[in-house]
Amino acid sequence: MAENSAEERRKRARLGEARNEKSSYEQRKAQKESKRNVNEKKIERLKSAKDSLQSLKKSAEEHHRSLKKYTDDNGIQDEWVGNKQKDIVSMIDGDLVSYYKSYTDRLDDVVDAICDEITRLQNENMQLGWDILHIGSLINSLVNEIRTLCN
């Protein structure tokens, strides 16, 4: 009888430990799921920002081409001649065109950085997904152990 009583105490102690472990794993799983959901929202916002920046870049490139075309032989140079014409052509060819080029290059850099962050977050979510599955497996094993101890 004393042996049976010691066995019962051991089972009750292990049952309490298993329940505590299960609770701890459930909390960790919930935290990882929450982090994954936060990352998904960030990814969606970043994708939207990337699309907007790519539209801006496309528009800037169109303006850049228009300016280049406007200063070609068929554009501004045929409309008037003189010092003002030379100044305008010089400004457009020199400063404005290079500003558009710098602007589109910088947009490329920002889009690349956004793509890098999207990839980082997606990779983190893949790892979180693995962690969630692993923790779910541990919880499942503990649920089985708890059932066994309760029988």
Side-chain angles (χ1 to χ4, degrees):
M1 175 116 158
E3 189 176 304
N4 202 10
S5 175
E7 181 66 21
E8 286 298 316
R9 282 194 302 270
R10 187 194 63 75
K11 276 186 173 182
R12 280 194 305 269
R14 180 58 196 139
L15 181 62
E17 290 170 4
R19 286 180 175 157
N20 287 339
E21 284 179 59
K22 179 181 171 270
S23 177
S24 175
Y25 283 137
E26 287 171 337
Q27 289 174 358
R28 284 178 47 199
K29 183 180 175 194
Q31 288 171 343
K32 289 182 182 286
E33 287 171 338
S34 175
K35 176 68 174 160
R36 185 174 60 178
N37 290 336
V38 166
N39 284 352
E40 285 299 326
K41 290 176 184 171
K42 286 179 183 178
I43 289 168
E44 290 307 311
R45 288 193 309 268
L46 286 167
K47 284 180 178 179
S48 176
K50 180 182 82 167
D51 291 344
S52 295
L53 288 172
Q54 286 174 325
S55 292
L56 281 174
K57 181 184 174 214
K58 184 178 178 183
S59 176
E61 287 171 339
E62 289 171 5
H63 290 310
H64 179 252
R65 280 190 296 276
S66 295
L67 284 172
K68 290 290 282 175
K69 185 178 180 186
Y70 192 64
T71 60
D72 287 345
D73 291 337
N74 299 329
I76 194 171
Q77 294 175 6
D78 288 341
E79 293 183 18
W80 83 87
V81 292
N83 289 337
K84 286 215 180 255
Q85 181 262 356
K86 288 178 187 172
D87 291 345
I88 295 292
V89 169
S90 175
M91 181 196 67
I92 290 173
D93 279 344
D95 294 337
L96 207 48
V97 169
S98 69
Y99 291 149
Y100 271 106
K101 173 85 172 96
S102 295
Y103 178 69
T104 57
D105 288 348
R106 184 64 186 125
L107 284 176
D108 274 342
D109 294 342
V110 173
V111 168
D112 289 347
I114 288 173
C115 289
D116 290 346
E117 181 63 7
I118 289 170
T119 299
R120 188 193 70 75
L121 289 169
Q122 288 171 331
N123 290 342
E124 183 178 331
N125 275 3
M126 285 182 209
Q127 181 62 51
L128 287 167
W130 162 249
D131 292 347
I132 291 165
L133 288 172
H134 180 70
I135 292 170
S137 173
L138 294 172
I139 292 169
N140 190 46
S141 295
L142 284 169
V143 167
N144 183 58
E145 183 181 357
I146 291 167
R147 267 194 230 121
T148 303
L149 289 170
C150 287
N151 288 336

